[in-house]
Amino acid sequence: MKADRLLSILLLLQTRGRVPAGELAERLEVSTRTVYRDIESLSASGVPVYAERGRHGGIALLPGFRTDVTGLTTDEARALFILAAQGAHAALGLDEALGSALRKVMAALPAPHRPAAELAGSRILVDPDRWMGGPRPAVDLGILHTAVFTDLRLRIRYRHSGETRLRTYTVDPYGLVAKAGTWYLVADRRGRPQLFRADRVASATLTDVPVRRRAGVALAEVWQQLRRQVEDRPADVRVTARIRRDRLDLAVRILGGALTGPPRTGDGEDTGDGEDPRHKAGTGNGKGTGNDWATLDLAYPVLPAVRQLLQFGDSLEVLDPPEARRVMAEAAASLTTVYAADAPSA
């Protein structure tokens, strides 16, 4: 709508000062000609806006002009107050600042929008932590936060997953990312992007050397690149398993990253006709018929990773490949040996 676009131009000019017409057109996804028409409309309505042509020209407001209008719609006001529930601000030490800012926004909102904003804050809660995630180690984001905003290189002592010794790196931070309740430092090391879990950073020290980021590369772009590297890791071990129907929902939640497709439940879906008969019926061990089971297709990067499935006990059976069944059998035998010593004798 034109009214929203005019307000957006006004707020951008008020925040940025002089802005080239081409940049306004790109931000608002309109033509430069439309921008100039909007400027004429603002001027006709009494807004002291003017355009300067030339290499260093642009569109600007007369010095000293300010407007108190927030321009927030009802949905935008709701969005702000739902954002307050996400909890990331606490880790950054910004909880009090956020609360203060929202009180100021509430005071500036047009009266008709205030009830909707208050209701959104009291009716919507966003908890970023996963179920059964367990206690998280304490994370001190202070130095990482400072490095990100002061544009200084950072020296960290870092422990990689599965290692006990610390490694020392000098990195160029792009920013911090909170994903599913876990904080990550996104940085370049020797000119290449790398991801560091904040809870594995044993210590961090600011250097006096300015950060050296790759030209034209933003945090969001680096994050997407690193995220794809994690999600697109090769998973060459394909596993077929069956699980009791009453444990299916739990399995989907826990195994989500390993699943290569939706479970096959037999409710009008593919049930494995023509394959191993164990897809359709019990195996003679009293576990029941095929209707009691669902089939799962999974993928793992290495064969030993199938041990993840042991947590489902006898509610899950690996069907293929034979090597995966062998890994499960060996792991189960090892557990039996561990606990056999405590078992009462007959």
Side-chain angles (χ1 to χ4, degrees):
M1 293 177 60
K2 182 176 180 179
D4 288 339
R5 196 169 64 243
L6 293 177
L7 186 55
S8 295
I9 291 174
L10 179 58
L11 294 175
L12 279 169
L13 296 179
Q14 193 168 271
T15 303
R16 296 274 309 280
R18 182 180 288 105
V19 181
E23 182 178 336
L24 286 174
E26 184 177 352
R27 281 175 170 267
L28 300 172
E29 298 181 348
V30 296
S31 67
T32 305
R33 180 176 297 180
T34 298
V35 168
Y36 281 117
R37 283 201 298 264
D38 289 343
I39 296 305
E40 292 177 1
S41 298
L42 285 172
S43 181
S45 65
V47 176
V49 60
Y50 65 96
E52 287 186 356
R53 300 188 180 277
R55 181 178 179 183
H56 300 291
I59 297 169
L61 298 168
L62 285 178
F65 175 80
R66 302 289 297 176
T67 176
D68 292 331
V69 65
T70 66
L72 290 174
T73 66
T74 300
D75 284 344
E76 289 167 344
R78 285 197 188 106
L80 279 177
F81 284 81
I82 292 173
L83 174 68
Q86 292 187 354
H89 308 84
L92 297 172
L94 296 175
D95 255 3
E96 290 187 10
L98 177 66
S100 175
L102 289 176
R103 287 191 293 272
K104 292 176 181 178
V105 171
M106 181 66 78
L109 281 177
H113 295 339
R114 292 176 192 168
E118 291 177 338
L119 188 63
S122 63
R123 293 290 189 270
I124 304 295
L125 176 65
V126 179
D127 184 345
D129 293 332
R130 295 178 178 177
W131 291 109
M132 298 177 291
R136 295 184 180 275
V139 178
D140 183 5
L141 295 177
I143 295 295
L144 303 183
H145 180 263
T146 301
V148 165
F149 283 96
T150 56
D151 289 335
L152 293 175
R153 279 190 149 190
L154 190 65
R155 185 173 294 108
I156 62 174
R157 300 189 70 211
Y158 187 75
R159 181 185 62 81
H160 289 277
S161 176
E163 296 185 1
T164 56
R165 72 186 185 95
L166 297 174
R167 299 174 183 263
T168 302
Y169 300 123
T170 299
V171 299
D172 297 297
Y174 282 90
L176 294 167
V177 175
K179 179 173 177 60
T182 300
W183 282 94
Y184 295 90
L185 172 68
V186 176
D188 274 355
R189 185 172 76 88
R190 297 179 179 175
R192 301 184 64 181
Q194 193 162 337
L195 204 57
F196 301 92
R197 274 185 63 141
D199 56 14
R200 295 197 193 124
V201 177
S203 64
T205 306
L206 283 175
T207 72
D208 57 2
V209 179
V211 71
R212 301 174 186 171
R213 300 188 185 103
R214 284 164 286 147
V217 179
L219 170 63
E221 181 181 345
V222 183
W223 169 250
Q224 289 302 323
Q225 178 184 352
L226 292 169
R227 180 177 175 176
R228 286 194 298 270
Q229 289 177 7
V230 172
E231 294 178 346
D232 296 343
R233 285 175 181 168
D236 298 327
V237 180
R238 301 287 171 167
V239 175
T240 303
R242 65 175 195 152
I243 189 165
R244 287 185 182 276
R245 293 282 291 268
D246 58 4
R247 303 296 300 278
L248 181 58
D249 288 342
L250 178 64
V252 170
R253 287 201 302 272
I254 294 176
L255 304 175
L259 290 171
T260 61
R264 291 175 279 146
T265 61
D267 298 331
E269 301 178 18
D270 182 7
T271 56
D273 289 344
E275 299 178 0
D276 192 317
R278 288 172 297 187
H279 287 260
K280 296 284 287 182
T283 55
N285 54 12
K287 289 184 178 179
T289 65
N291 291 333
D292 299 326
W293 297 82
T295 303
L296 303 176
D297 298 304
L298 307 110
Y300 289 100
V302 292
L303 191 58
V306 301
R307 293 171 182 163
Q308 177 194 29
L309 304 176
L310 285 171
Q311 63 188 297
F312 297 100
D314 63 356
S315 293
L316 181 145
E317 180 186 4
V318 171
L319 302 175
D320 292 302
E323 306 87 64
R325 288 179 61 86
R326 187 157 48 249
V327 168
M328 294 289 285
E330 291 171 353
S334 297
L335 285 174
T336 301
T337 301
V338 169
Y339 293 108
D342 297 331
S345 56

